[in-house]
Amino acid sequence: MTESILIVEDEISLQETLAYSLKKEGYAVEVIGDGRSALESARKMRPDLIILDIMLPEMDGFEVGRILRKEMSAAILMLTARDDEIDRVVGLEVGADDYLTKPFSMRELLARVKAQLRRTRLLREEMRQTGISEPKHETLKFENLTVNLTRREVTLNDEPIQLKPKEYELLLFFAEHKGQMLSREFVLERVWGWDFIGDSRTVDVHIRWLRQKIEKDAANPVRIVTVRGGGYRFEG
Amino acid sequence: MTESILIVEDEISLQETLAYSLKKEGYAVEVIGDGRSALESARKMRPDLIILDIMLPEMDGFEVGRILRKEMSAAILMLTARDDEIDRVVGLEVGADDYLTKPFSMRELLARVKAQLRRTRLLREEMRQTGISEPKHETLKFENLTVNLTRREVTLNDEPIQLKPKEYELLLFFAEHKGQMLSREFVLERVWGWDFIGDSRTVDVHIRWLRQKIEKDAANPVRIVTVRGGGYRFEG
DNA sequence: TGATTTTGTTAAGGTTATGTTAATGACAGG
DNA sequence: CCTGTCATTAACATAACCTTAACAAAATCA
């Protein structure tokens, strides 16, 4: 399996240098010149790594990174021109996995690319060994509770129940992680989006509403139990 | 639990700068000055990230990195003096996750540390991810005692037992260091956090509670034995 | 043995985490 | 522009928890 890399860079000469060097290393390379097209390409291509310049026409690298980070697990390596962009790049705003400050040597870039892909590969292998990735089921069933993905509908005792959008997403997320303790932070990152800024207690309130709708006795929940000091756990 | 970093660096001034900055960021930091001791420290400490200089007395960074890479999953960030060492560092020989070429700014180091730990965290969470049908749970087992990381649950004779948050974290820490004598101070630093201010006897009290819950006879403990003048040791 | 240090044990008090409700403000659709 | 729905936050209530201090017991030392 050859690994694929998407280069998002508008400077033609750099485009060519990068593409040439990476291809020579055996990667499948695609190049795109502006931010907006980058989104499309990435969605189609599902690359293993994205090399992303900050200065871009149409939509800057911050924004592109922010969006792609949410949508896929590809490693993101950002190219910055200025030192003071580092914090935004690696910090909460984008959450890039690595960065390079211009000017950089090709050797340096190749080294970082290699390191990132190495990590991704390890991750994938682990996931395969533990049998994690699998196709999404049409509906998830738990005794008298079902979550229908295609209809986006939840039933209790075969009766559809009315959930607010966030409640549905939350329940779905818990349902997909049955038996797993989920911290508020993890839930926020995955359901609300990694860039959510706000109080983690928000989760509590939504849990409360969910409980009222899916628990027999909301005051003594058995489906979504709280793990004090940790988070919550869906028991099915 | 706070994330821990092992710094392997012989230059005193750099040691201090690194340790100071990283502690200020909230990490538990330990420093060691030569290659051979680094191995011991790393085995005991089980850090989340290792900052490893190449130039070291006793045993150079290449060798240390090569060995540790095999033994643990900690991220390795190497400090190189020369550009032409990059290939050896990141390539097959060591397999470091990242590197910095001296001289580097503290901001740059912090950014890379943050990015690495973020990845590690994500990777662990992914690994713990259950998938839809039957969860693959990461579990530590000791005869009739199990610690389930995924569920954040402890069972004794297959029956879940109720642990308070600190008790759970404490037991987990001991379980991860089976057979090792752990001083109160070390336990405090890693379980309570390096910035905990207070009496180390606090540990005793929690140990007591743990014993009541996991020992057959709490008055004559065999799982968590006390090492007089030293600390405690988990025997499994 | 008697003195001293270390650890065991317990309970009280302050602290923190979670449950719960309501108010606020954002947003979409009419 | 109004109306209704929803997400978020603040605020308060309650329950669980952690730390400390104090004394007891055990081990160590002189």
Side-chain angles (χ1 to χ4, degrees):
Chain A
M1 175 199 61
T2 92
E3 283 152 322
S4 60
I5 300 176
L6 175 64
I7 300 173
V8 188
E9 167 65 58
D10 61 324
E11 213 182 297
I12 305 289
S13 70
L14 187 49
Q15 274 191 4
E16 287 172 350
T17 323
L18 289 174
Y20 172 78
S21 304
L22 291 169
K23 274 183 186 160
K24 214 175 64 179
E25 290 290 314
Y27 302 115
V29 179
E30 206 144 309
V31 184
I32 203 78
D34 72 285
R36 201 172 304 281
S37 322
L39 293 182
E40 286 176 43
S41 295
R43 287 178 184 130
K44 271 197 204 134
M45 183 188 176
R46 299 256 130 208
D48 297 295
L49 182 143
I50 300 167
I51 297 177
L52 183 56
D53 196 356
I54 285 187
M55 291 277 296
L56 286 174
E58 292 295 323
M59 184 188 292
D60 75 21
F62 290 119
E63 180 114 26
V64 175
R66 208 179 306 139
I67 296 173
L68 290 180
R69 166 56 84 207
K70 259 191 250 175
E71 294 186 15
M72 53 193 72
S73 64
I76 296 179
L77 196 169
M78 297 204 72
L79 307 182
T80 83
R82 308 200 323 267
D83 253 14
D84 59 343
E85 291 169 329
I86 295 180
D87 295 332
R88 298 180 63 196
V89 164
V90 180
L92 277 180
E93 191 172 349
V94 178
D97 298 296
D98 201 354
Y99 66 90
L100 277 168
T101 309
K102 293 181 183 178
F104 50 83
S105 69
M106 200 46 58
R107 134 179 294 155
E108 204 175 356
L109 179 115
L110 286 177
R112 296 205 181 281
V113 164
K114 213 181 287 179
Q116 284 302 330
L117 288 177
R118 205 173 131 287
R119 269 255 141 148
T120 308
R121 209 178 316 122
L122 279 180
L123 190 145
R124 294 230 174 108
E125 268 161 20
E126 297 278 0
M127 283 171 59
R128 201 164 304 128
Q129 277 175 13
T130 50
I132 282 165
S133 60
E134 51 194 281
K136 281 241 156 80
H137 287 52
E138 194 88 333
T139 79
L140 309 175
K141 296 180 184 169
F142 311 94
E143 283 148 56
N144 63 348
L145 178 77
T146 74
V147 181
N148 187 317
L149 281 286
T150 49
R151 298 173 60 85
R152 194 173 229 262
E153 185 183 71
V154 175
T155 71
L156 191 65
N157 297 316
D158 301 320
E159 288 299 316
I161 60 177
Q162 203 73 25
L163 293 190
K164 291 180 276 187
K166 269 274 148 56
E167 288 171 7
Y168 174 81
E169 289 185 44
L170 190 59
L171 176 57
L172 176 57
F173 186 64
F174 272 91
E176 284 173 332
H177 297 261
K178 170 175 161 172
Q180 182 177 355
M181 189 278 279
L182 303 171
S183 73
R184 291 172 177 72
E185 288 67 32
F186 190 50
V187 171
L188 278 180
E189 184 176 320
R190 300 292 283 263
V191 176
W192 270 255
W194 68 274
D195 55 346
F196 174 83
I197 297 175
D199 196 339
S200 73
R201 294 297 309 281
T202 299
V203 177
D204 299 30
V205 178
H206 285 268
I207 292 282
R208 151 85 172 137
W209 292 337
L210 256 186
R211 280 174 170 164
Q212 283 202 311
K213 296 181 180 177
I214 68 171
E215 297 277 2
K216 193 170 294 184
D217 175 13
N220 297 88
V222 293
R223 301 208 111 119
I224 302 181
V225 300
T226 124
V227 182
R228 191 157 248 265
Y232 298 95
R233 186 174 56 220
F234 180 68
E235 297 288 21
Chain B
M1 206 197 294
T2 76
E3 281 158 321
S4 61
I5 299 176
L6 176 65
I7 299 171
V8 189
E9 167 64 59
D10 61 324
E11 211 183 298
I12 305 287
S13 68
L14 186 50
Q15 274 190 6
E16 286 172 352
T17 321
L18 289 174
Y20 172 77
S21 304
L22 291 170
K23 272 185 186 162
K24 215 173 62 177
E25 290 290 313
Y27 302 114
V29 178
E30 210 143 306
V31 184
I32 202 80
D34 71 284
R36 200 171 307 281
S37 321
L39 293 181
E40 285 177 45
S41 294
R43 287 178 184 131
K44 269 201 199 133
M45 183 188 176
R46 303 247 127 216
D48 299 296
L49 183 143
I50 301 167
I51 296 177
L52 183 55
D53 196 356
I54 287 186
M55 290 277 295
L56 287 174
E58 294 294 324
M59 182 189 294
D60 73 23
F62 291 118
E63 180 114 25
V64 176
R66 206 180 307 137
I67 296 173
L68 290 181
R69 165 56 83 208
K70 272 187 225 157
E71 293 187 16
M72 53 192 72
S73 65
I76 297 179
L77 196 167
M78 297 205 72
L79 308 180
T80 82
R82 307 200 324 267
D83 254 14
D84 60 342
E85 292 170 329
I86 295 181
D87 294 333
R88 297 180 63 197
V89 164
V90 179
L92 279 180
E93 189 173 351
V94 178
D97 298 295
D98 201 352
Y99 65 89
L100 277 167
T101 309
K102 292 183 186 177
F104 50 83
S105 70
M106 201 45 58
R107 133 178 295 153
E108 205 174 355
L109 179 114
L110 288 177
R112 297 207 179 279
V113 164
K114 213 183 288 178
Q116 282 304 329
L117 288 177
R118 207 171 132 288
R119 263 257 143 153
T120 307
R121 214 177 313 125
L122 278 179
L123 193 144
R124 289 205 179 134
E125 271 159 6
E126 295 283 356
M127 280 171 61
R128 235 166 252 173
Q129 189 169 334
T130 62
I132 287 158
S133 47
E134 264 317 288
K136 175 78 179 182
H137 287 172
E138 187 181 347
T139 304
L140 307 174
K141 295 180 185 171
F142 310 94
E143 282 146 58
N144 62 348
L145 178 77
T146 74
V147 181
N148 187 318
L149 285 281
T150 310
R151 295 180 57 84
R152 184 180 249 247
E153 185 181 70
V154 174
T155 71
L156 190 65
N157 297 316
D158 300 319
E159 286 299 315
I161 59 178
Q162 204 70 31
L163 294 190
K164 290 179 279 190
K166 272 272 149 55
E167 289 171 5
Y168 173 83
E169 290 185 35
L170 190 58
L171 175 57
L172 176 57
F173 187 63
F174 272 91
E176 284 171 333
H177 294 82
K178 170 175 163 172
Q180 258 182 54
M181 189 269 272
L182 303 172
S183 74
R184 291 171 178 73
E185 287 67 33
F186 188 51
V187 170
L188 278 180
E189 176 177 320
R190 294 294 287 273
V191 177
W192 270 255
W194 66 278
D195 55 348
F196 174 82
I197 299 174
D199 196 340
S200 72
R201 295 297 310 281
T202 299
V203 176
D204 299 30
V205 177
H206 285 268
I207 292 282
R208 150 82 173 142
W209 291 336
L210 254 188
R211 281 173 169 164
Q212 282 204 311
K213 294 180 180 178
I214 67 171
E215 298 276 3
K216 193 170 293 182
D217 175 13
N220 298 87
V222 294
R223 301 207 112 120
I224 301 180
V225 300
T226 122
V227 183
R228 185 157 250 261
Y232 297 94
R233 187 176 55 229
F234 180 68
E235 299 287 20

